[in-house]
Amino acid sequence: MIEIERLYKVWVYLQAEPLFWLTLTIAAYIFGNFIYKKSDLNPLLNPVAISIFIVSFCLITFKVDYQRYFQGAQFIHFMLGPVTVALAVPIYNQLSLIIEEGLSIFITVVVGVIVAITSTYFFSSIFGLSEQMIYTMLPRSVTAPIAMGISEVIGGVPTLTAIITVTTGIIGASIAPFVLDYIKVKDMTARGFAIGLTSHGIGTARAMSKNKKAGVFAALAMSLSGIVTSILIVIIIRYLS
């Protein structure tokens, strides 16, 4: 009993420290990535999904408030911006190919963004979601920092948008490889671009782990879709409303 009491006191002390939650988040991802690699990069065992499950399980089990957790893990949130910008380096290395395929890239991004926004609006309306909830879901196909900013501007709930966006990325990164295999898309630039366009950061990480060129074009698609979505979403909302 004494040992259990001591362990409990240690736990109470640790979980009150912000550094503990940062360590837990990193450890959960390392474990998820280990499982992912052991499965021969099975897309269904996405390391982000595994780490989210582990952290969520700990928070729910020990009844830890999200704000307390975020105090420790906010450094990872802060790094989302610099990491996204750093993707410009591999994109620059493929600049000649990007310019060569410029028209195809532009058309694909515009069409992809329009389909993502209109389909989300259409299905959300069918299920009778409130206007605020619809606006919360509309930016779900762009990377989380941009999606949250768009959500705030158009009248959605940014924190909920982040959750929906991450969920979209996990589902897209898990399913996209099977879909692309089924329709026999072999070209790595096309595969990467499709995954980045639909599954943003998580999909880009998945593409980068499989093929460098696919990862570069996934990053390009993720970046361009964020820009195009920011421009078109207000126009589309006015047209659909």
Side-chain angles (χ1 to χ4, degrees), residues 163-179:
I163 296 172
I164 295 170
T165 300
V166 171
T167 303
T168 299
I170 292 173
I171 294 173
S174 300
I175 296 177
F178 296 112
V179 174

Side-chain angles (χ1 to χ4, degrees), residues 163-211:
I163 296 172
I164 295 170
T165 300
V166 171
T167 303
T168 299
I170 292 173
I171 294 173
S174 300
I175 296 177
F178 296 112
V179 174
L180 293 170
D181 287 340
Y182 181 76
I183 61 178
K184 303 186 186 307
V185 177
K186 302 296 183 182
D187 184 75
M188 283 300 167
T189 58
R191 289 177 69 93
F193 200 85
I195 293 174
L197 187 60
T198 56
S199 309
H200 39 81
I202 297 174
T204 298
R206 158 71 185 173
M208 195 73 76
S209 70
K210 295 291 289 184
N211 182 276

